[in-house]
Amino acid sequence: MKWWSDLWLNEGFANYMEYLCADDLYPEWNVLNDFYVENFVQSMLLDGFASSHAVSNDVEDPAQIGSMFDVISYQKGASIIQMLRGLAGKDAFQIALQEYLKKYAYANAERIDLWNIIQKHVTLSNDISVADVAEAWTSQIGYPVIAVGLDRGSMVVRNQTRFLLLEEEREGDTSDTKWPIPIQYRSDLDDQVHMIWLKADQDNAVQRIGQNVKWVIANTGSLGYYRVLYDKDVYKQLIKQLSSDHEKLSAVDRATILNDAFFFAKSGHLGIDTALDLVQYVESKTEVERIPWVVIITHLKVIEQMISETPTVELFQKFEKWIFMRAYERLGWKRPEKHVDRMLQTEVLAMACRLQLSDCSRQAQNLFSKWLQDKNSVFVDIQPFVIEEGVRRGTTSDWERVYEEYLKTTNPSQKLLLLNALASTKNVKLIHRFMLMCLDPAIVRPNVLPRALGMLMQNKVASLYAWRFFRMNYDKFDKIIGGTTTMLGMMSKSIIENFNTEYDLQEVREFFKGKKMGASRARVDQAIESIVLNVQWRRLNEKALERWIRKWDSKRRLNRK
């Protein structure tokens, strides 16, 4: 890169190539499916706020540089590269990259140099160039949402607008940002994938599919970096399809539809009832793919956190237990042979133990006791939640033994694993001891502090103590970390971003008001936007969720009679 404005060319490419190389070496791992949840999902959250920045951002002040090492440069940058590769075709894209690397070896390049070389090997459309697409997605802030419906056998695409999560930001948005949008689609009539373009200057597009079409999936395979809001009738048909034969839709398409629906519930574009109706297929169908489960687990945990102080939470946890039971019983505790199944088992078992599903806690505690005697007795994939569950439900002596292991180990990933387990204790004295550890750089390294306090905030017993402790010791943390990085902002964000009441919001604003934070200020502002979004979620969805969950419970009771 010639200047910091194209930081993403280095970092986004490095991120993407990790997946591409792993997929070439181990295709059975399906890492490109993981790419969706680890890149699209993460970056689209931050990129859904008005405060986001473009992938390629003008840099005029050295203080800006540190703040650019974020999910926009890494995850969104990688997602745009994935989109370009998908449009170009993997062979043409590889040839173009080889030429680009040879031409600019031992030299600097700008993004336009890459676009020009890709264009030599690819024709996207008669009137849309590679540069048109790439520049729109890298130089403009945010991403679009499109509305998709069916009308007399045709797919109708309309209302391209920038997606913003907050209602107040949408109301105040005066920009008219548009993108050339590649719409890769398929329907229930056949499995073949087709492509049309919604040009930047087009208000809508209509594509004939077939008279008897029931549903259509736009952006199939999650090719494009945008969200799709379907009409009510299409959602109804997708719910029916998932309930009857979910594998008619690919794992990525299932994950994308679910993820977009939950985000539309956050933003107010869609009711929470539709998102939960979409999820219900896992009650009766065996979902064996990891990425739909990752999306489901992520959003259900968010909802549970939102309603944790309301009477609805107990009934919602019953719903969670109900939909996880099939997966828990299928995966069990034996070590699966396939890598992807081991990853899924870890996530499902961790969720099942957190919900105290069936005998999960007992099994985990038994394995924890064995681990205390022999560190190799528990296979590495399930060690994190086994040790965490052991500490959560264990004694002070158990905590001390894990702490001793934490001090002894020199493996950074093992240290993080044990630190996370130590943070899960329900013992208030041990929680305070953990917090004091965070003030000692010899015990908890400064670069780990944001994660350490973030771990503590996931502990319901510890969360209020942690926020109070952070405020009391703010100046000490500032001194430990130093003011020249974004670490203080990252730590602050990890503590406050899940707050969800107006009281919390005002308290946070008042605390950070007037504090000189340099590059860290952007992280705090992002966290405050997250709190505003959480408050909005509760206003839009809390009552509707209560109605839905009571209706679900009534149906369940009737079916059991």
Side-chain angles (χ1 to χ4, degrees), residues 328-364:
Y328 174 71
E329 291 176 343
R330 181 180 70 83
L331 289 164
W333 287 86
K334 284 187 177 180
R335 189 172 190 260
E337 291 183 11
K338 293 182 180 178
H339 170 75
V340 289
D341 289 339
R342 291 198 294 272
M343 292 179 71
L344 175 58
Q345 182 194 49
T346 300
E347 282 145 352
V348 169
L349 292 185
M351 187 72 170
C353 283
R354 194 179 66 80
L355 292 168
Q356 298 182 49
L357 185 64
S358 186
D359 64 341
C360 190
S361 293
R362 181 179 58 80
Q363 293 270 22

Side-chain angles (χ1 to χ4, degrees), residues 319-334:
F319 167 69
E320 291 181 288
K321 291 177 182 179
W322 194 261
I323 66 172
F324 276 93
M325 181 61 78
R326 178 186 289 264
Y328 174 71
E329 291 176 343
R330 181 180 70 83
L331 289 164
W333 287 86
K334 284 187 177 180

Side-chain angles (χ1 to χ4, degrees), residues 438 448-457 466 470 477 491 494-495:
C438 292
V448 177
L449 279 174
R451 296 182 72 173
L453 288 172
M455 293 167 185
L456 209 56
M457 291 304 294
F470 173 74
F477 282 123
M491 184 193 303
S494 72
I495 293 169

